[in-house]
Amino acid sequence: MTSGLLDIISSADPATRDLSIDRWCEGRSIAELLAAVDELDAYRRRETNLYQRVRALFFIAAIHRYHLPAHTGLVRTGRVPYEGFRHLLERRFEEAIAIFQQAQREHGSSETLSSALAAAHHALAFQTLADQVRRTVRSTHGNAWMFRLGHPLDQSLRVRRELVTRESADAHAPYP
């Protein structure tokens, strides 16, 4: 069974692709939202398209941040496992997500765990984008000089001496 969220992410039809997550979530039960989150999580792990993978991560974050807590049936209090919190602080988002999901399977869903899962998925989405930018910058031949530095003196860009040397002691510097 598919929720239809994957169609929103991957559809070529603008009418489907542009449907908001808020509109899709309207009237859905906690069980339906959690099933959609599981479906999105499996999708983002196997998807090779960066845009679709990041969009799935943001959908998961939005469901956990806004739509699950809006339900009156969701337990309001809970505990965030310390180990997952530590991973989150160390920017080890995949590990944090795994620990939070395990706690959710063992103790049930809560607003507290949804908040932790939302934070982890949101941060992972931005980390995914940053990793892609880093790979792109590193793979561009003209940027190679930025990554062969081991020491500040290895910097290949230099300021020409005539730009910083004064003609006499009372002369102004050659730059403004």
Side-chain angles (χ1 to χ4, degrees):
M1 175 181 121
T2 62
S3 65
L5 271 177
L6 299 187
D7 294 334
I8 294 172
I9 292 174
S10 60
S11 177
D13 176 29
T16 302
R17 185 184 58 240
D18 296 342
L19 184 68
S20 76
I21 185 76
D22 295 336
R23 188 151 168 225
W24 185 89
C25 289
E26 284 177 2
R28 306 272 177 178
S29 68
I30 291 174
E32 289 174 307
L33 292 174
L34 289 172
V37 164
D38 289 342
E39 182 182 22
L40 285 167
D41 190 57
Y43 174 78
R44 67 107 180 158
R45 290 175 191 274
R46 71 176 181 269
E47 181 55 48
T48 57
N49 180 294
L50 174 72
Y51 173 77
Q52 293 174 353
R53 192 169 61 238
V54 169
R55 195 163 184 214
L57 284 164
F58 280 126
F59 277 13
I60 294 169
I63 291 170
H64 276 295
R65 173 72 64 216
Y66 304 109
H67 301 287
L68 282 168
H71 277 277
T72 56
L74 189 69
V75 176
R76 297 290 172 216
T77 60
R79 293 183 181 223
V80 173
Y82 176 73
E83 191 68 23
F85 176 70
R86 208 178 88 227
H87 284 310
L88 194 59
L89 291 178
E90 293 171 354
R91 303 181 54 76
R92 298 175 62 144
F93 304 120
E94 289 285 2
E95 292 92 334
I97 289 168
I99 290 171
F100 297 151
Q101 287 173 335
Q102 181 64 34
Q104 190 175 41
R105 281 190 295 276
E106 291 174 2
H107 306 292
S109 298
S110 71
E111 193 170 326
T112 307
L113 278 173
S114 277
S115 178
L117 282 162
H121 282 94
H122 185 263
L124 180 59
F126 280 107
Q127 183 182 54
T128 302
L129 289 171
D131 290 345
Q132 181 62 38
V133 168
R134 192 175 300 108
R135 275 193 298 276
T136 301
V137 169
R138 283 182 181 266
S139 68
T140 303
H141 179 69
N143 296 333
W145 64 270
M146 291 189 283
F147 303 105
R148 56 174 188 249
L149 303 178
H151 186 275
L153 293 177
D154 294 339
Q155 177 62 264
S156 60
L157 300 177
R158 301 274 188 256
V159 177
R160 295 179 55 124
R161 184 162 306 285
E162 57 267 19
L163 293 176
V164 295
T165 306
R166 296 178 185 207
E167 294 175 13
S168 66
D170 8 327
H172 292 330
Y175 54 87

